[in-house]
Amino acid sequence: MAHFAKSRVPRFTAEVHHNPFLPEGGRELHAVVTVTATGGGSTGGRPVPAPAREPGRGVPEPATPEPAVPEAAGPDPGVVLRVRTPLGAEVALLRQVAPAAGDLTGRRSPSGPRAGDYPTGPWGDESRDYHLCLRLPDPGVGREMLAARIAVLLPAPDGAAPRVAAEALVRAVWTDEPAAALRIDRQVAHHTGRAELAQAIQRGLDAAKWGDAVRALAELRRAARLATAPGNGDTAKLLAKVVDGVDTATGTVRQTAEAAEAARDDSPAAPGTRTPPGAIPTNDDDQL
């Protein structure tokens, strides 16, 4: 019987989960980046060293401590995430959210014009999720932008320059269709604590698309109530455009015919999202 040894050639993949559509004037884009390593990761199959923990001062250590983000060992940063943004854009937040939680924003080191490196420590065969928040310029409705280029850099064993093991792109499209910008990606919703809100919005838009006004009204009314929670101001404003008359005190909504008609379009590119000639930056300062 043939025996096939497990590959020890490190391979990485990177995948971006996000809703690329932003409303008129929208400047903040949230995405979840999933990076997966196989073939031994950066450690060649050896166990990933456990991160050092500083005992709490006067606080007893929990019986089962939560996992922490691995730290780089010595001068070796391990696997590095390089995030490059166009002119006028910046990384507001980069945080590992699964399986461990930890903020990487403060670990950034410059690596060229509008690019920063974020060390993530050693990797085995595993998958990690990162919450990326970008602050972008507002180019206007109908414009499209490559908002970020993410590269996974694997250290070279001989001390040479690290190689690019995987890449992923984050794009942004500004639209005048509120229903398109209102949708919250499932992964983003999960890792930002807005899963219930995202579900209510999606159910309401789906019901409107299929002409079920009663259910659409019920789900959008529920979404309006949930959107009154802190941190959902932009979503509440979009809901106000999708439905007519959002009462911020009670969360009641009344669906309009215009919103129902707009929600019927299930195309990934909603009206107002076409990119006119020259919309994507082409000069040297803006290219990624």
Side-chain angles (χ1 to χ4, degrees):
M1 179 182 295
H3 295 278
F4 297 95
K6 186 176 181 180
S7 172
R8 284 303 170 197
V9 177
R11 291 185 175 87
F12 284 78
T13 61
E15 184 179 4
V16 173
H17 310 272
H18 78 310
N19 178 6
F21 295 118
L22 291 174
E24 182 178 3
R27 299 193 59 187
E28 196 168 87
L29 181 67
H30 293 267
V32 169
V33 183
T34 299
V35 180
T36 302
T38 57
S42 66
T43 65
R46 297 185 300 274
V48 176
R53 292 180 177 275
E54 181 180 353
R57 298 179 181 178
V59 179
E61 289 292 303
T64 307
E66 294 183 358
V69 176
E71 295 281 355
D76 182 5
V79 175
V80 169
L81 295 184
R82 176 169 293 171
V83 183
R84 183 174 173 83
T85 54
L87 190 66
E90 64 178 357
V91 175
L93 172 75
L94 181 62
R95 178 177 176 82
Q96 183 176 319
V97 290
D103 194 354
L104 304 183
T105 312
R107 299 186 189 180
R108 180 185 186 275
S109 61
S111 58
R114 302 183 305 280
D117 286 355
Y118 300 84
T120 66
W123 282 60
D125 287 347
E126 58 182 302
S127 182
R128 303 180 191 177
D129 289 340
Y130 297 90
H131 174 202
L132 173 66
C133 177
L134 299 168
R135 290 198 185 102
L136 306 173
D138 177 17
V141 169
R143 309 285 283 187
E144 182 173 354
M145 174 186 293
L146 177 55
R149 182 186 297 273
I150 302 165
V152 180
L153 304 182
L154 186 63
D158 56 359
R163 69 176 180 88
V164 177
E167 283 191 312
L169 305 178
V170 182
R171 72 184 186 101
V173 181
W174 280 262
T175 176
D176 57 4
E177 174 48 70
L182 187 61
R183 300 176 191 272
I184 305 174
D185 177 84
R186 185 179 302 176
Q187 291 288 335
V188 172
H190 172 71
H191 289 300
T192 58
R194 297 190 294 168
E196 188 177 5
L197 173 60
Q199 188 178 60
I201 290 172
Q202 189 62 54
R203 287 178 175 175
L205 295 179
D206 287 346
K209 182 184 72 172
W210 294 109
D212 189 344
V214 174
R215 183 177 179 185
L217 178 61
E219 293 292 348
L220 292 173
R221 179 183 291 122
R222 179 166 169 260
R225 288 197 299 268
L226 294 170
T228 60
N232 291 319
D234 290 342
T235 302
K237 292 177 183 178
L238 284 174
L239 274 167
K241 294 180 180 180
V242 174
V243 296
D244 180 34
V246 176
D247 185 335
T248 57
T250 64
T252 57
V253 298
R254 180 168 58 85
Q255 185 182 29
T256 63
E258 291 82 4
E261 184 65 25
R264 292 179 190 277
D265 187 2
D266 197 35
S267 170
T273 61
R274 292 184 179 179
T275 305
I280 298 179
T282 56
N283 61 68
D284 292 338
D285 289 335
D286 289 347
Q287 283 187 338
L288 294 185

